[in-house]
Amino acid sequence: MLSKIGIRPVIDGRQFGIRESLEVQTMNMAKAAAELISSKVRHASGEPMECVIADTTIGGIAESAACADKFATENIVATLTVTPCWCYVTQVIDENPNTIKAVWGFNGTERPGAVFLAAANSAYAQIGMPCFSIYGHDVKDADDTVIPSDVEEKILRFARCAAAVGDMKNKSYVNIGSQAMGIAGAYCNEEFFRDYLGIHPEWVDMTEIIRREKLGIYDEAEYKKALAWIKEKCPEGVDINPTPGMTYMRPVLSAKEKEENWEFIAKMTCIIRDILKGNPKLAEMGWLEESKGRNAVLGGFQGQRMWTDFMPNADFTEAILNTTFDWNGAREPIPFATENDTLNGTTLMFLHLLTGRAAVFADVRTYWSPDSVKRVTGWTPNGKAANGFIHLINSGAAALDGTGAVKDENGESVMKPWWDMTEKDIDACLNATTWPCANLGYFRGGGFSSSYSTQGVMPCTFARVNYVKHLGPTIQIIEGYTVELPEDVNKTLLGRTDPTWPSTWFAPITVPDKVAVSDVYNVMANWGANHGAISYGHIGADLITMCSM
């Protein structure tokens, strides 16, 4: 059962005139809030956020208890208490320690809704329960049933974030493999996942992929469909092998080896998806345990080095799982972390659950100052890029939505929620992506990297969850824009790193009087880790709100 939001209309309980005069107005506030949320907020899986309204207005402790009993069977993740008037505070507020709480006090003059709101906030502070306070900027008439725009914004932000919290609760992070290349973020911190996120950590050895491939524990028809789609839609890109100075025993892959790579990669993608989410087809084949999956909301793959030194890398798998489509068409992305960076995987999950969109995993690779760009290419950055930019580039895997190839009605680049992706959108992403043979200096077992340069100027948010000893989890957030460079400049700069990898040029919005983000250089210099994740839109306020939950 998906999580829901409970709506609690609370009222002045005084009979013989006061309560009776407020019943309609109070219940209408609840109905309006429920309609607003259900019509404009979706779970990441695409379903509307369902609201459950108390059976009656709540004027005292007995009615509050009746409401709690009703909500107990409805998987309520958060409650929104609404009122236009004074109420008996501790008798009517939600004191369930397991729900996220908000109170909307109507800004009117006839009855003191704002006074109740302040008293409720005071009560929650005294009993140690956080509460989101919602109060309109302008005074409204008692018979005005339209939710003010500023109140609407606050209610929807609360609901979006509560939906995200509900969608991750009691799910799993599936570590496929362990820690990669000494990356601290790839150490799975059980305390963080259990205590902060309500997520259960799971570990699956990478040999499980080999076992399932060898024993045929995958859907053969699905594999063949995936492989046919790959051959039709995923053209191979430039092969840069052998790279200078390479002395490994296999400096290039033959055509036969590449074909075998693709066959294994298609199987591996199906297998990893089954490990994460399960597949009823496996039960039909007699593999009941494997068919159930691991209840994943996100996962990660170690890869380097134990796997990639002798097996095809998971670049295709990681890219496609994070993308809003595959060979079956549009579908919800599965956040899946390169190098099993659990903290950046968490960031991918946050961005996806809040928006329904794909998020792009990236190395925070290089700060390019305007002077450096001019020196190397002869071009002077302008527009959003005028103050320099940061090169976000992952070592082979990134969601194809990051191509910027999907356009809105104005022809501007956009990353859509997965439920809005059309066949035209899917084809645009595929046509903007090639799949070069992996750099065998890095990936001795081969594989294929997703290669593209992000098109257009898109508003976006770059973020990263970090973990600090004695402090706990923190999050860095910077809003900004993708920038598209002239083709010759893009080629020159990309060629200095690796032309086979997915590349995004990011221009953060800077704040001169804040040192850490005073300019683009300081954003780069103060970033807390080697990885980050980027999503469409300026959603920093939503991220902060969700993290506070």
Side-chain angles (χ1 to χ4, degrees):
M1 181 191 297
L2 290 171
S3 61
K4 304 172 187 176
I5 291 178
I7 310 294
R8 307 175 71 260
V10 299
I11 198 168
D12 189 326
R14 284 173 281 200
Q15 195 181 354
F16 306 120
I18 293 179
R19 178 167 185 161
E20 292 84 350
S21 69
L22 292 163
E23 286 282 1
V24 172
Q25 183 186 7
T26 305
M27 189 56 80
N28 281 345
M29 283 182 69
K31 291 176 180 178
E35 171 60 26
L36 173 68
I37 292 169
S38 295
S39 65
K40 294 194 175 183
V41 176
R42 294 198 195 196
H43 292 276
S45 55
E47 292 91 341
M49 186 63 172
E50 186 177 344
C51 293
V52 179
I53 302 176
D55 292 333
T56 67
T57 56
I58 300 167
I61 191 64
E63 290 158 328
S64 185
C67 174
D69 288 342
K70 178 178 183 176
F71 287 179
T73 64
E74 296 283 358
N75 193 25
I76 300 296
V77 67
T79 61
L80 173 62
T81 296
V82 303
T83 189
C85 61
W86 173 253
C87 311
Y88 305 148
V89 183
T90 58
Q91 295 182 28
V92 301
I93 60 174
D94 172 21
E95 294 188 27
N96 183 341
N98 297 316
T99 57
I100 304 161
K101 299 159 185 62
V103 177
W104 170 26
F106 183 78
N107 185 1
T109 54
E110 292 83 0
R111 299 287 180 180
V115 177
F116 169 78
L117 173 62
N121 286 331
S122 173
Y124 276 127
Q126 289 184 59
I127 62 179
M129 291 184 179
C131 176
F132 289 83
S133 177
I134 300 175
Y135 180 61
H137 184 273
D138 297 320
V139 173
K140 307 295 288 186
D141 297 331
D143 60 355
D144 189 340
T145 59
V146 177
I147 299 177
S149 59
D150 61 322
V151 171
E152 177 176 317
E153 180 183 359
K154 292 173 183 177
I155 290 174
L156 291 177
R157 176 163 293 129
F158 173 78
R160 282 193 301 270
C161 297
V165 172
D167 286 346
M168 72 179 80
K169 191 175 181 181
N170 298 321
K171 297 293 179 63
S172 298
Y173 181 104
V174 180
N175 300 265
I176 299 181
S178 183
Q179 181 265 351
M181 301 187 297
I183 296 172
Y187 287 100
C188 182
N189 185 317
E190 281 194 79
E191 179 183 354
F192 166 59
F193 280 101
R194 292 184 190 278
D195 295 351
Y196 280 89
L197 305 181
I199 289 175
H200 170 77
E202 279 280 294
W203 283 266
V204 176
D205 196 276
M206 291 182 290
T207 56
E208 175 65 2
I209 298 168
I210 297 175
R211 183 183 78 91
R212 294 194 186 202
E213 194 271 338
K214 294 296 184 187
L215 299 181
I217 310 175
Y218 57 88
D219 183 344
E220 180 73 18
E222 184 79 359
Y223 153 65
K224 289 181 177 177
K225 183 177 183 180
L227 184 61
W229 182 81
I230 289 168
K231 290 181 176 180
E232 178 186 357
K233 301 287 189 178
C234 302
E236 289 183 23
V238 61
D239 188 345
I240 65 170
N241 299 296
T243 54
M246 188 174 172
T247 59
Y248 189 63
M249 62 183 182
R250 187 172 63 168
V252 294
L253 295 184
S254 67
K256 183 175 184 298
E257 287 173 317
K258 289 181 180 179
E259 183 177 356
E260 291 170 347
N261 262 209
W262 274 123
E263 291 169 356
F264 182 84
I265 288 165
K267 292 176 185 176
M268 176 167 63
T269 305
C270 294
I271 288 168
I272 289 179
R273 188 191 62 184
D274 291 349
I275 290 171
L276 298 172
K277 295 292 190 179
N279 186 346
K281 180 66 176 181
L282 302 185
E284 297 174 17
M285 297 163 57
W287 300 100
L288 181 61
E289 182 181 5
E290 289 82 354
S291 73
K292 297 181 183 298
R294 299 284 179 138
N295 194 38
V297 67
L298 77 160
F301 184 72
Q302 175 194 335
Q304 298 185 77
R305 294 259 316 275
M306 290 75 174
W307 179 273
T308 56
D309 275 8
F310 83 111
M311 296 293 289
N313 67 24
D315 285 357
F316 176 85
T317 304
E318 294 165 11
I320 289 299
L321 288 178
N322 278 303
T323 296
T324 54
F325 59 85
D326 60 17
W327 48 91
N328 290 314
R331 56 105 177 99
E332 182 184 359
I334 304 173
F336 196 67
T338 297
E339 294 156 1
N340 197 31
D341 184 341
T342 63
L343 295 178
N344 211 48
T346 300
T347 314
L348 289 173
M349 177 188 70
F350 285 175
L351 296 171
H352 165 61
L353 294 182
L354 282 171
T355 66
R357 295 177 165 90
V360 176
F361 188 111
D363 277 1
V364 189
R365 186 79 181 212
T366 310
Y367 161 63
W368 279 98
S369 68
D371 288 345
S372 295
V373 175
K374 176 74 171 177
R375 178 183 65 81
V376 171
T377 69
W379 176 70
T380 300
N382 53 44
K384 300 292 186 187
N387 295 316
F389 44 83
I390 297 171
H391 196 188
L392 305 179
I393 181 170
N394 198 23
S395 53
L400 272 60
D401 302 74
T403 58
V406 176
K407 308 300 180 184
D408 63 16
E409 61 276 9
N410 299 316
E412 301 292 335
S413 292
V414 66
M415 292 169 62
K416 292 183 177 181
W418 72 265
W419 50 79
D420 288 335
M421 289 292 285
T422 66
E423 284 300 318
K424 180 181 177 182
D425 297 331
I426 292 170
D427 285 341
C429 290
L430 289 166
N431 291 337
T433 308
T434 59
W435 299 89
C437 180
N439 183 331
L440 297 178
Y442 287 102
F443 305 110
R444 299 172 186 172
F448 296 89
S449 301
S450 54
S451 179
Y452 61 77
S453 292
T454 298
Q455 303 173 19
V457 176
M458 294 189 287
C460 54
T461 302
F462 192 53
R464 163 75 188 195
V465 172
N466 297 305
Y467 200 92
V468 181
K469 189 172 182 178
H470 303 310
L471 177 63
T474 66
I475 188 166
Q476 285 185 281
I477 303 166
I478 186 76
E479 295 177 342
Y481 297 88
T482 64
V483 293
E484 184 174 3
L485 307 183
E487 181 54 38
D488 59 331
V489 175
N490 181 68
K491 184 176 181 180
T492 298
L493 299 187
L494 189 55
R496 294 171 67 98
T497 304
D498 193 309
T500 69
W501 292 346
S503 169
T504 300
W505 309 104
F506 172 62
I509 298 171
T510 57
V511 184
D513 61 345
K514 302 291 184 182
V515 174
V517 293
S518 59
D519 55 27
V520 179
Y521 168 80
N522 274 314
V523 172
M524 175 77 180
N526 286 286
W527 201 250
N530 53 311
H531 292 147
I534 197 165
S535 183
Y536 182 85
H538 291 158
I539 60 168
D542 280 8
L543 276 170
I544 292 169
T545 302
M546 187 200 64
C547 288
S548 73
M549 295 178 173

